Amino acid sequence: MSLTIYPAIDMRGGKCVRLLQGDYDQETIYGDSPFNMAKSFAADGSEWIHMVDLDGAKDGKRVNDQFVIEAAQKLNVNIQIGGGIRSEEDILHYLENGVNRVIIGSIAVSNPEFAIDMIKKYGAKIAVGIDAKNGYVATHGWLDTSELKAVDLGKRFADAGAETFIFTDIATDGTLAGPNIAAVCEMAEVTGKNVIASGGVSSLADLQAIASQGIQGAIVGKALYENRFTLKEALKVGGSR
């Protein structure tokens, strides 16, 4: 089974950044233009780009949405966006402006009934983002940890019809220490749905290991920005879907 590669663009203050383990105080800036970064990823042949509004995730409202929509409307690439999506208005704002998939995260924990309604209404255009710390769900830009197990949340939304999950292990995110493949596999097994692995990818071998487990996709961020490998090399590992 081939692996879809999702190069990541995390946006804060209109710039491309990466955080270490979700810590807003440990930020590295990698570019001044999210659109130009997306354009380069599309030019390298990526079918998807994963964009995150970090300001939105922290503030609970859309902040960097103009960069997302610009990429969606001007580039021949699929865009998925997460961060700061708290209402159906937010979802429609993106979907009606060319974005292919909207990720609901914190709101899925605080208002699961709303999340289920959106999943039933918009189907495959909604992905559920589950961010975990030691197996428990973290919310609001990873500033809070709940008492809810990540796999239990995944099972609930899978039963409600969610088709795609983005699973992030906070302990590995931005560390280049390797992904938590066991946790990703557990989420895939419990939900029986498409799971995109996020966090910790540091090498092509990590991508090969994820692919060998039959996982649908992998988000790659810091490893690309730190030149551990190129996007073209990653796409070759992923193969065509």
Side-chain angles (χ1 to χ4, degrees):
M1 183 178 179
S2 55
L3 178 76
T4 300
I5 305 298
Y6 295 79
I9 299 174
D10 290 2
M11 300 168 291
R12 189 179 184 199
K15 298 182 184 297
C16 304
V17 308
R18 296 299 291 175
L19 305 182
L20 180 64
Q21 296 179 321
D23 186 344
Y24 283 74
D25 293 326
Q26 297 193 63
E27 173 190 89
T28 304
I29 297 173
Y30 287 103
D32 291 330
S33 170
F35 175 76
N36 287 342
M37 190 69 74
K39 187 176 180 180
S40 71
F41 289 157
D44 280 344
S46 190
E47 295 179 10
W48 280 90
I49 296 174
H50 174 79
M51 302 184 79
V52 179
D53 183 353
L54 290 173
D55 294 309
K58 192 173 184 180
D59 298 344
K61 61 182 180 180
R62 303 189 306 267
V63 177
N64 293 288
D65 51 312
Q66 69 269 30
F67 306 114
V68 182
I69 290 169
E70 183 182 14
Q73 294 183 341
K74 294 182 179 179
L75 301 175
N76 184 27
V77 65
N78 297 302
I79 302 288
Q80 66 179 20
I81 173 65
I85 295 158
R86 301 288 190 270
S87 66
E88 186 171 7
E89 179 188 355
D90 292 331
I91 292 169
L92 286 173
H93 176 70
Y94 285 119
L95 295 181
E96 291 178 348
N97 284 288
V99 173
N100 301 87
R101 188 187 289 154
V102 175
I103 305 160
I104 52 176
S106 296
I107 193 70
V109 180
S110 61
N111 191 348
E113 290 78 16
F114 166 79
I116 288 169
D117 285 345
M118 294 301 97
I119 290 164
K120 290 181 176 177
K121 192 167 184 178
Y122 298 104
K125 293 185 178 296
I126 300 292
V128 178
I130 299 180
D131 305 329
K133 195 170 188 177
N134 299 319
Y136 289 87
V137 174
T139 62
H140 301 96
W142 302 347
L143 300 176
D144 303 315
T145 304
S146 72
E147 295 180 355
L148 181 64
K149 283 190 174 182
V151 290
D152 291 341
L153 185 67
K155 180 71 164 60
R156 178 173 185 180
F157 289 123
D159 290 345
E163 291 295 331
T164 301
F165 293 86
I166 296 163
F167 179 74
T168 305
D169 178 50
I170 295 173
T172 63
D173 191 71
T175 65
L176 296 175
N180 187 342
I181 294 177
V184 176
C185 289
E186 183 183 17
M187 181 64 69
E189 183 177 352
V190 168
T191 61
K193 303 294 185 177
N194 293 326
V195 175
I196 300 170
S198 174
V201 170
S202 64
S203 66
L204 296 176
D206 287 337
L207 293 177
Q208 290 164 347
I210 293 170
S212 72
Q213 298 299 315
I215 300 301
Q216 189 269 341
I219 292 169
V220 184
K222 192 171 184 178
L224 289 177
Y225 296 111
E226 295 285 338
N227 300 311
R228 296 295 184 96
F229 50 80
T230 67
L231 178 55
K232 288 182 178 180
E233 288 172 332
L235 292 171
K236 284 181 181 178
V237 171
S240 60
R241 289 191 61 86

